Amino acid sequence: QQDVQLVSSQVDSSTGRLSVVLRRALSTGGQSDFVIPASGSGTTPMIFAWGTSSTMVYHASDRRQINVELHA
């Protein structure tokens, strides 16, 4: 279950970069959804990927995980 709302999306025509902003409750109650810690209660692991193609393609090993503290 993914209870997300699309807030905005934008494509930069000069780079082909797609930026998407989504909104989701910290805790959705879904069995498969990760509970995101509230501000000030620790970090959340995030996974991101990148590539040089202007289309959606497999990112191969161009991916990383970081831990971030999210603030409302």
Side-chain angles (χ1 to χ4, degrees), residues 1-4 24-38 41-47 65-70:
Q1 171 178 332
Q2 292 293 329
D3 297 321
V4 296
R24 191 199 93 163
L26 296 176
S27 178
T28 66
Q31 291 181 343
S32 300
D33 287 347
F34 180 79
V35 176
I36 300 170
S41 61
T43 61
T44 300
M46 295 281 185
I47 298 172
Q65 176 182 330
I66 60 172
N67 290 311
V68 296
E69 186 170 347
L70 303 173

Side-chain angles (χ1 to χ4, degrees), residues 2-50:
Q2 292 293 329
D3 297 321
V4 296
Q5 295 174 315
L6 177 63
V7 175
S8 65
S9 63
Q10 178 180 1
V11 176
D12 184 326
S13 60
S14 64
T15 64
R17 181 175 295 154
L18 170 65
S19 299
V20 178
V21 177
L22 301 170
R23 179 177 292 144
R24 191 199 93 163
L26 296 176
S27 178
T28 66
Q31 291 181 343
S32 300
D33 287 347
F34 180 79
V35 176
I36 300 170
S39 298
S41 61
T43 61
T44 300
M46 295 281 185
I47 298 172
F48 62 96
W50 66 91

